[in-house]
Amino acid sequence: MKKLINHPERVVREALEGLAAAHRDLVRVHFDPDYVYRADAPVQGKVAVISGGGSGHEPMHTGFVGQGMLDAACPGQVFTSPTPDQMVEAAKQVHGGAGVLFIVKNYSGDVMNFEMAAELLEAEGIRTASVIIDDDVAVENSLYTQGRRGVGLTVLAEKIVGAAAEEGYDLEQLKALLERVNANGRSMGMALTSCTVPHVGKPTFELAEDEMEIGIGIHGEPGRQRMKLKPADEVITMLFESVVKDLPFQAGDRCLLFVNGMGGTPEIELYIAYRKAKALADEYGLQVVRSLVGSYITSLEMQGVSLTLLRLDDEMIRLWDRPVKTPGLRWGV
Protein backbone atom coordinates (compact mmCIF):
# COMPACT_ATOMS: atom_id res chain seq x y z
CA MET A 1 0.00 0.00 0.00
CA LYS A 2 1.35 3.40 -1.01
CA LYS A 3 -0.65 6.33 0.39
CA LEU A 4 0.04 9.83 1.66
CA ILE A 5 -1.05 9.10 5.22
CA ASN A 6 0.51 8.91 8.68
CA HIS A 7 -1.36 6.02 10.25
CA PRO A 8 -4.33 4.05 8.87
CA GLU A 9 -6.37 4.48 12.03
CA ARG A 10 -6.04 8.28 11.97
CA VAL A 11 -6.93 8.94 8.33
CA VAL A 12 -10.43 10.27 8.94
CA ARG A 13 -9.50 12.31 12.02
CA GLU A 14 -6.56 14.02 10.34
CA ALA A 15 -8.54 14.68 7.15
CA LEU A 16 -11.27 16.37 9.20
CA GLU A 17 -8.65 18.45 10.99
CA GLY A 18 -7.34 19.55 7.60
CA LEU A 19 -10.84 20.37 6.35
CA ALA A 20 -11.49 22.50 9.42
CA ALA A 21 -8.20 24.39 9.02
CA ALA A 22 -8.64 25.00 5.28
CA HIS A 23 -12.29 26.14 5.27
CA ARG A 24 -12.83 27.99 8.53
CA ASP A 25 -14.98 30.54 6.69
CA LEU A 26 -17.44 27.86 5.60
CA VAL A 27 -17.53 25.00 8.11
CA ARG A 28 -16.78 23.84 11.61
CA VAL A 29 -15.78 20.33 12.66
CA HIS A 30 -16.89 18.69 15.88
CA PHE A 31 -15.01 15.66 17.18
CA ASP A 32 -16.19 12.78 19.38
CA PRO A 33 -18.69 12.36 17.86
CA ASP A 34 -17.46 13.51 14.47
CA TYR A 35 -19.56 15.77 12.27
CA VAL A 36 -19.07 18.78 10.02
CA TYR A 37 -21.51 21.69 10.16
CA ARG A 38 -22.08 25.11 8.63
CA ALA A 39 -20.12 27.93 10.18
CA ASP A 40 -23.34 29.96 10.50
CA ALA A 41 -25.47 27.15 11.97
CA PRO A 42 -28.08 27.00 13.23
CA VAL A 43 -30.03 29.10 10.73
CA GLN A 44 -33.24 29.96 12.54
CA GLY A 45 -36.45 29.04 10.76
CA LYS A 46 -34.68 26.92 8.15
CA VAL A 47 -35.04 23.16 7.77
CA ALA A 48 -31.68 21.56 8.50
CA VAL A 49 -30.54 19.26 5.68
CA ILE A 50 -28.18 16.50 6.83
CA SER A 51 -26.49 13.60 5.09
CA GLY A 52 -23.54 11.34 5.74
CA GLY A 53 -21.92 8.02 5.14
CA GLY A 54 -18.59 6.30 5.17
CA SER A 55 -15.51 8.38 4.47
CA GLY A 56 -13.51 7.75 1.31
CA HIS A 57 -16.07 9.30 -1.05
CA GLU A 58 -14.88 12.90 -0.73
CA PRO A 59 -15.90 15.56 -1.45
CA MET A 60 -19.23 13.86 -0.70
CA HIS A 61 -20.53 14.48 1.99
CA THR A 62 -18.36 16.68 4.19
CA GLY A 63 -17.28 18.79 1.20
CA PHE A 64 -20.90 19.72 0.51
CA VAL A 65 -21.58 21.41 3.84
CA GLY A 66 -22.21 25.13 3.50
CA GLN A 67 -24.43 27.76 1.94
CA GLY A 68 -26.90 26.24 -0.49
CA MET A 69 -26.29 22.56 0.30
CA LEU A 70 -25.97 20.65 3.58
CA ASP A 71 -26.23 22.06 7.09
CA ALA A 72 -24.25 19.10 8.44
CA ALA A 73 -22.60 15.86 7.36
CA CYS A 74 -21.68 12.83 9.45
CA PRO A 75 -18.54 10.99 8.30
CA GLY A 76 -18.04 7.38 9.32
CA GLN A 77 -14.73 5.59 9.12
CA VAL A 78 -13.63 4.67 5.59
CA PHE A 79 -16.51 2.83 3.86
CA THR A 80 -18.24 2.44 7.24
CA SER A 81 -21.58 3.99 8.17
CA PRO A 82 -21.65 6.79 10.73
CA THR A 83 -23.33 6.06 14.03
CA PRO A 84 -26.70 7.31 15.32
CA ASP A 85 -25.05 9.45 18.01
CA GLN A 86 -23.17 11.38 15.30
CA MET A 87 -26.42 12.07 13.49
CA VAL A 88 -28.31 13.06 16.63
CA GLU A 89 -25.62 15.46 17.82
CA ALA A 90 -25.20 16.96 14.36
CA ALA A 91 -28.95 17.50 14.09
CA LYS A 92 -29.10 19.24 17.46
CA GLN A 93 -26.17 21.46 16.44
CA VAL A 94 -27.85 22.73 13.26
CA HIS A 95 -31.56 22.51 14.10
CA GLY A 96 -33.11 25.92 13.55
CA GLY A 97 -36.60 25.05 14.74
CA ALA A 98 -38.08 23.97 11.40
CA GLY A 99 -37.18 20.28 11.47
CA VAL A 100 -34.46 18.06 10.03
CA LEU A 101 -34.32 16.33 6.64
CA PHE A 102 -32.03 13.31 6.27
CA ILE A 103 -30.71 12.38 2.81
CA VAL A 104 -29.78 8.71 3.08
CA LYS A 105 -27.95 6.57 0.51
CA ASN A 106 -29.36 3.06 0.27
CA TYR A 107 -26.78 1.09 2.24
CA SER A 108 -27.95 -1.13 5.06
CA GLY A 109 -25.88 0.51 7.80
CA ASP A 110 -26.77 4.05 6.72
CA VAL A 111 -30.48 3.26 6.54
CA MET A 112 -30.55 1.57 9.95
CA ASN A 113 -28.53 4.23 11.74
CA PHE A 114 -30.39 7.19 10.25
CA GLU A 115 -33.67 5.53 11.23
CA MET A 116 -32.46 5.16 14.80
CA ALA A 117 -31.30 8.77 14.86
CA ALA A 118 -34.67 9.98 13.57
CA GLU A 119 -36.49 8.04 16.29
CA LEU A 120 -34.26 9.52 18.99
CA LEU A 121 -34.77 13.05 17.67
CA GLU A 122 -38.53 12.64 17.37
CA ALA A 123 -38.59 11.48 21.00
CA GLU A 124 -36.96 14.79 21.94
CA GLY A 125 -39.53 16.79 19.98
CA ILE A 126 -37.46 17.48 16.83
CA ARG A 127 -39.43 16.78 13.64
CA THR A 128 -37.60 14.71 11.05
CA ALA A 129 -38.10 13.33 7.57
CA SER A 130 -35.91 10.96 5.57
CA VAL A 131 -35.62 9.95 1.93
CA ILE A 132 -33.49 7.06 0.66
CA ILE A 133 -31.52 7.59 -2.55
CA ASP A 134 -31.41 4.45 -4.72
CA ASP A 135 -30.40 5.48 -8.23
CA ASP A 136 -27.90 2.77 -9.25
CA VAL A 137 -29.29 0.68 -12.12
CA ALA A 138 -26.42 -1.82 -12.10
CA VAL A 139 -27.74 -4.37 -9.60
CA GLU A 140 -30.82 -4.79 -7.45
CA ASN A 141 -28.90 -6.04 -4.41
CA SER A 142 -25.26 -5.93 -3.37
CA LEU A 143 -23.00 -6.70 -0.44
CA TYR A 144 -24.16 -3.51 1.29
CA THR A 145 -27.79 -3.10 0.25
CA GLN A 146 -31.26 -4.47 -0.04
CA GLY A 147 -32.38 -2.87 -3.27
CA ARG A 148 -30.50 -0.47 -5.48
CA ARG A 149 -27.47 1.42 -4.21
CA GLY A 150 -27.40 5.17 -3.70
CA VAL A 151 -24.64 6.71 -5.82
CA GLY A 152 -24.12 9.79 -8.04
CA LEU A 153 -27.65 11.16 -7.79
CA THR A 154 -26.94 11.89 -4.11
CA VAL A 155 -24.74 14.84 -5.11
CA LEU A 156 -27.43 16.33 -7.33
CA ALA A 157 -30.10 15.78 -4.68
CA GLU A 158 -28.03 17.54 -2.02
CA LYS A 159 -27.55 20.52 -4.34
CA ILE A 160 -31.20 20.88 -5.40
CA VAL A 161 -32.76 20.19 -2.01
CA GLY A 162 -30.14 22.29 -0.24
CA ALA A 163 -31.05 25.23 -2.45
CA ALA A 164 -34.74 24.74 -1.68
CA ALA A 165 -34.05 24.68 2.06
CA GLU A 166 -32.09 27.92 1.65
CA GLU A 167 -35.19 29.43 0.02
CA GLY A 168 -37.33 28.50 3.01
CA TYR A 169 -39.17 25.37 1.88
CA ASP A 170 -40.79 23.58 4.81
CA LEU A 171 -40.05 19.98 5.80
CA GLU A 172 -42.94 18.45 3.85
CA GLN A 173 -42.08 20.41 0.71
CA LEU A 174 -38.44 19.38 0.92
CA LYS A 175 -39.28 15.71 1.39
CA ALA A 176 -41.61 15.78 -1.63
CA LEU A 177 -38.95 17.50 -3.74
CA LEU A 178 -36.28 14.99 -2.67
CA GLU A 179 -38.57 12.08 -3.54
CA ARG A 180 -39.18 13.64 -6.96
CA VAL A 181 -35.46 14.04 -7.61
CA ASN A 182 -34.84 10.42 -6.62
CA ALA A 183 -37.65 9.19 -8.85
CA ASN A 184 -36.25 11.01 -11.89
CA GLY A 185 -32.54 10.15 -11.67
CA ARG A 186 -30.55 7.06 -12.61
CA SER A 187 -26.82 6.20 -12.44
CA MET A 188 -24.30 3.53 -13.33
CA GLY A 189 -20.54 3.26 -12.90
CA MET A 190 -17.51 1.24 -13.93
CA ALA A 191 -13.98 0.65 -12.68
CA LEU A 192 -10.59 0.21 -14.29
CA THR A 193 -8.87 -0.47 -10.96
CA SER A 194 -9.76 -1.27 -7.39
CA CYS A 195 -9.03 0.96 -4.41
CA THR A 196 -7.26 0.18 -1.15
CA VAL A 197 -8.94 0.88 2.18
CA PRO A 198 -6.16 2.22 4.47
CA HIS A 199 -6.79 -0.05 7.45
CA VAL A 200 -7.09 -3.11 5.18
CA GLY A 201 -3.87 -2.43 3.31
CA LYS A 202 -4.62 -4.32 0.10
CA PRO A 203 -6.92 -3.78 -2.91
CA THR A 204 -10.58 -4.57 -2.38
CA PHE A 205 -10.64 -6.65 -5.56
CA GLU A 206 -8.26 -7.55 -8.38
CA LEU A 207 -8.55 -6.54 -12.01
CA ALA A 208 -6.02 -7.61 -14.63
CA GLU A 209 -4.34 -4.91 -16.69
CA ASP A 210 -6.66 -5.63 -19.61
CA GLU A 211 -9.89 -5.94 -17.57
CA MET A 212 -12.66 -3.61 -16.38
CA GLU A 213 -15.73 -4.04 -14.17
CA ILE A 214 -19.08 -2.67 -15.37
CA GLY A 215 -21.63 -1.68 -12.74
CA ILE A 216 -19.22 -1.40 -9.83
CA GLY A 217 -20.34 0.03 -6.47
CA ILE A 218 -18.65 2.92 -4.68
CA HIS A 219 -17.27 0.54 -2.03
CA GLY A 220 -15.88 -1.86 -4.59
CA GLU A 221 -18.96 -4.08 -4.67
CA PRO A 222 -19.15 -6.37 -7.72
CA GLY A 223 -20.94 -5.06 -10.76
CA ARG A 224 -22.86 -6.61 -13.62
CA GLN A 225 -19.95 -7.94 -15.62
CA ARG A 226 -16.18 -8.19 -15.75
CA MET A 227 -14.83 -7.95 -19.27
CA LYS A 228 -11.85 -7.01 -21.39
CA LEU A 229 -11.05 -3.30 -21.50
CA LYS A 230 -12.78 -1.45 -24.34
CA PRO A 231 -12.38 2.04 -25.84
CA ALA A 232 -13.98 4.91 -23.93
CA ASP A 233 -16.84 5.37 -26.40
CA GLU A 234 -17.90 1.74 -26.02
CA VAL A 235 -17.72 1.92 -22.23
CA ILE A 236 -19.83 5.07 -22.05
CA THR A 237 -22.34 3.61 -24.48
CA MET A 238 -22.84 0.63 -22.18
CA LEU A 239 -23.37 2.87 -19.16
CA PHE A 240 -25.58 5.38 -20.97
CA GLU A 241 -27.89 2.82 -22.55
CA SER A 242 -28.41 1.06 -19.22
CA VAL A 243 -29.29 4.35 -17.55
CA VAL A 244 -31.49 5.86 -20.25
CA LYS A 245 -33.61 2.72 -20.70
CA ASP A 246 -34.21 2.17 -17.00
CA LEU A 247 -36.48 5.12 -16.16
CA PRO A 248 -37.07 5.24 -19.13
CA PHE A 249 -35.99 8.65 -20.35
CA GLN A 250 -37.89 9.92 -23.40
CA ALA A 251 -37.15 12.21 -26.34
CA GLY A 252 -37.72 15.80 -25.34
CA ASP A 253 -36.83 15.30 -21.66
CA ARG A 254 -34.73 18.08 -20.20
CA CYS A 255 -31.82 16.52 -18.35
CA LEU A 256 -28.80 17.16 -16.20
CA LEU A 257 -25.87 15.02 -17.37
CA PHE A 258 -23.33 14.24 -14.64
CA VAL A 259 -20.06 12.51 -15.50
CA ASN A 260 -18.22 11.67 -12.29
CA GLY A 261 -14.68 10.46 -11.64
CA MET A 262 -14.16 7.75 -9.04
CA GLY A 263 -11.08 9.34 -7.47
CA GLY A 264 -8.19 8.29 -9.70
CA THR A 265 -9.53 9.29 -13.11
CA PRO A 266 -7.87 12.30 -14.80
CA GLU A 267 -10.18 15.12 -15.83
CA ILE A 268 -9.08 14.76 -19.45
CA GLU A 269 -10.64 11.29 -19.47
CA LEU A 270 -13.84 12.57 -17.86
CA TYR A 271 -14.33 15.02 -20.71
CA ILE A 272 -13.74 12.24 -23.24
CA ALA A 273 -16.52 10.38 -21.43
CA TYR A 274 -18.78 13.43 -21.37
CA ARG A 275 -18.24 13.98 -25.11
CA LYS A 276 -19.67 10.55 -25.89
CA ALA A 277 -22.46 10.74 -23.30
CA LYS A 278 -23.64 14.08 -24.71
CA ALA A 279 -23.60 12.68 -28.26
CA LEU A 280 -25.70 9.72 -27.12
CA ALA A 281 -28.14 12.05 -25.34
CA ASP A 282 -28.54 13.95 -28.60
CA GLU A 283 -29.22 10.70 -30.45
CA TYR A 284 -31.96 9.83 -27.97
CA GLY A 285 -33.51 13.27 -28.33
CA LEU A 286 -32.71 14.34 -24.76
CA GLN A 287 -32.14 18.02 -24.04
CA VAL A 288 -29.04 18.32 -21.87
CA VAL A 289 -29.74 21.69 -20.28
CA ARG A 290 -27.34 21.37 -17.33
CA SER A 291 -24.03 19.50 -16.89
CA LEU A 292 -21.59 18.55 -14.16
CA VAL A 293 -18.18 17.01 -14.84
CA GLY A 294 -15.66 16.17 -12.12
CA SER A 295 -14.88 13.90 -9.18
CA TYR A 296 -17.65 14.56 -6.66
CA ILE A 297 -18.49 11.08 -5.30
CA THR A 298 -15.33 9.01 -5.24
CA SER A 299 -14.06 5.66 -4.06
CA LEU A 300 -10.64 6.61 -2.68
CA GLU A 301 -8.14 6.24 -5.57
CA MET A 302 -10.28 4.00 -7.79
CA GLN A 303 -9.91 4.66 -11.52
CA GLY A 304 -13.29 4.68 -13.19
CA VAL A 305 -16.30 6.77 -14.05
CA SER A 306 -20.00 6.95 -13.24
CA LEU A 307 -22.75 8.49 -15.30
CA THR A 308 -25.93 10.06 -13.91
CA LEU A 309 -28.94 11.40 -15.77
CA LEU A 310 -31.56 13.47 -13.95
CA ARG A 311 -34.78 14.48 -15.66
CA LEU A 312 -35.38 18.12 -14.77
CA ASP A 313 -38.44 20.31 -14.41
CA ASP A 314 -38.57 24.11 -14.13
CA GLU A 315 -38.32 24.06 -10.34
CA MET A 316 -35.27 21.78 -10.33
CA ILE A 317 -33.50 23.94 -12.93
CA ARG A 318 -34.11 27.09 -10.90
CA LEU A 319 -32.84 25.45 -7.72
CA TRP A 320 -29.80 23.95 -9.47
CA ASP A 321 -28.79 27.44 -10.62
CA ARG A 322 -28.91 28.99 -7.14
CA PRO A 323 -25.56 30.02 -5.62
CA VAL A 324 -23.68 27.43 -3.61
CA LYS A 325 -20.59 27.85 -1.48
CA THR A 326 -19.10 24.72 0.05
CA PRO A 327 -15.56 23.31 0.23
CA GLY A 328 -16.24 20.85 -2.59
CA LEU A 329 -18.65 22.73 -4.86
CA ARG A 330 -19.24 26.43 -5.39
CA TRP A 331 -20.60 28.80 -8.00
CA GLY A 332 -22.45 32.12 -8.23
CA VAL A 333 -21.19 33.42 -4.88
Side-chain angles (χ1 to χ4, degrees), residues 236-246 248-253 255 276-288 309:
I236 298 306
T237 298
M238 285 188 281
L239 298 181
F240 188 92
E241 290 185 345
S242 295
V243 167
V244 78
K245 293 174 182 177
D246 188 89
F249 291 84
Q250 298 177 344
D253 284 347
C255 296
K276 182 59 177 179
K278 175 61 167 62
L280 289 167
D282 293 342
E283 288 180 21
Y284 277 87
L286 305 180
Q287 300 178 54
V288 178
L309 270 177

Side-chain angles (χ1 to χ4, degrees), residues 88 92 115-128:
V88 169
K92 290 180 179 180
E115 284 180 353
M116 292 176 61
E119 292 173 1
L120 292 168
L121 291 166
E122 292 279 355
E124 295 191 33
I126 297 176
R127 295 173 58 232
T128 69

Side-chain angles (χ1 to χ4, degrees), residues 10-26:
R10 290 191 55 82
V11 165
V12 174
R13 175 69 180 232
E14 292 181 359
L16 290 174
E17 290 171 352
L19 179 74
H23 300 288
R24 183 72 181 172
D25 58 324
L26 301 177

Side-chain angles (χ1 to χ4, degrees), residues 88-159:
V88 169
E89 293 304 314
K92 290 180 179 180
Q93 180 75 55
V94 299
H95 181 232
V100 173
L101 177 68
F102 288 134
I103 302 177
V104 186
K105 301 189 306 303
N106 190 29
Y107 297 96
S108 302
D110 290 2
V111 172
M112 178 181 66
N113 289 343
F114 272 105
E115 284 180 353
M116 292 176 61
E119 292 173 1
L120 292 168
L121 291 166
E122 292 279 355
E124 295 191 33
I126 297 176
R127 295 173 58 232
T128 69
S130 301
V131 174
I132 296 172
I133 304 297
D134 56 355
D135 54 311
D136 190 352
V137 307
V139 291
E140 285 295 333
N141 296 286
S142 76
L143 302 176
Y144 289 74
T145 65
Q146 293 182 336
R148 290 182 167 180
R149 303 174 291 217
V151 286
L153 185 64
T154 313
V155 177
L156 311 185
E158 290 177 356
K159 170 64 187 77

Side-chain angles (χ1 to χ4, degrees), residues 3-326:
K3 290 182 177 290
L4 193 63
I5 63 174
N6 293 307
H7 191 283
E9 304 305 324
R10 290 191 55 82
V11 165
V12 174
R13 175 69 180 232
E14 292 181 359
L16 290 174
E17 290 171 352
L19 179 74
H23 300 288
R24 183 72 181 172
D25 58 324
L26 301 177
V27 300
R28 301 285 186 270
V29 178
H30 184 279
F31 295 100
D32 303 319
D34 297 347
Y35 58 86
V36 180
Y37 62 100
R38 284 174 59 151
D40 59 350
V43 181
Q44 294 302 319
K46 174 187 176 300
V47 175
V49 182
I50 300 175
S51 193
S55 296
H57 305 304
E58 290 73 17
M60 195 188 73
H61 300 275
T62 53
F64 299 146
V65 175
Q67 179 184 331
M69 288 191 76
L70 299 176
D71 292 88
C74 302
Q77 292 301 307
V78 174
F79 294 178
T80 303
S81 298
T83 58
D85 66 308
Q86 289 176 258
M87 302 161 190
V88 169
E89 293 304 314
K92 290 180 179 180
Q93 180 75 55
V94 299
H95 181 232
V100 173
L101 177 68
F102 288 134
I103 302 177
V104 186
K105 301 189 306 303
N106 190 29
Y107 297 96
S108 302
D110 290 2
V111 172
M112 178 181 66
N113 289 343
F114 272 105
E115 284 180 353
M116 292 176 61
E119 292 173 1
L120 292 168
L121 291 166
E122 292 279 355
E124 295 191 33
I126 297 176
R127 295 173 58 232
T128 69
S130 301
V131 174
I132 296 172
I133 304 297
D134 56 355
D135 54 311
D136 190 352
V137 307
V139 291
E140 285 295 333
N141 296 286
S142 76
L143 302 176
Y144 289 74
T145 65
Q146 293 182 336
R148 290 182 167 180
R149 303 174 291 217
V151 286
L153 185 64
T154 313
V155 177
L156 311 185
E158 290 177 356
K159 170 64 187 77
I160 291 169
V161 174
E166 209 76 46
E167 284 192 356
Y169 283 43
D170 64 27
L171 188 59
E172 289 72 25
Q173 290 173 317
L174 288 175
K175 182 180 180 183
L177 173 63
L178 184 52
E179 290 173 338
R180 197 162 83 246
V181 170
N182 187 56
N184 282 278
R186 298 291 188 272
S187 302
M188 189 169 171
M190 59 80 61
L192 299 173
T193 67
S194 180
C195 60
T196 298
V197 176
H199 65 268
V200 175
K202 61 181 180 179
T204 304
F205 58 92
E206 296 289 344
L207 278 175
E209 286 296 317
D210 63 344
E211 288 183 327
M212 62 180 184
E213 183 98 13
I214 298 293
I216 198 74
I218 58 173
H219 306 95
E221 307 100 306
R224 283 186 177 180
Q225 187 178 5
R226 182 168 295 190
M227 63 178 65
K228 296 297 183 182
L229 183 63
K230 298 181 182 298
D233 284 0
E234 293 184 38
V235 173
I236 298 306
T237 298
M238 285 188 281
L239 298 181
F240 188 92
E241 290 185 345
S242 295
V243 167
V244 78
K245 293 174 182 177
D246 188 89
L247 195 57
F249 291 84
Q250 298 177 344
D253 284 347
R254 292 174 297 171
C255 296
L256 190 161
L257 175 58
F258 174 27
V259 172
N260 175 70
M262 300 301 292
T265 311
E267 196 163 285
I268 192 170
E269 296 177 19
L270 298 182
Y271 279 104
I272 291 172
Y274 181 88
R275 163 190 164 276
K276 182 59 177 179
K278 175 61 167 62
L280 289 167
D282 293 342
E283 288 180 21
Y284 277 87
L286 305 180
Q287 300 178 54
V288 178
V289 297
R290 297 293 184 273
S291 301
L292 185 65
V293 180
S295 297
Y296 294 103
I297 170 172
T298 63
S299 185
L300 295 170
E301 78 279 21
M302 181 184 287
Q303 288 181 265
V305 66
S306 65
L307 187 152
T308 301
L309 270 177
L310 171 61
R311 184 162 57 198
L312 298 168
D313 55 33
D314 289 339
E315 182 182 20
M316 291 182 198
I317 292 172
R318 177 180 60 78
L319 292 167
W320 178 260
D321 289 344
R322 276 187 59 90
V324 58
K325 191 173 184 180
T326 71

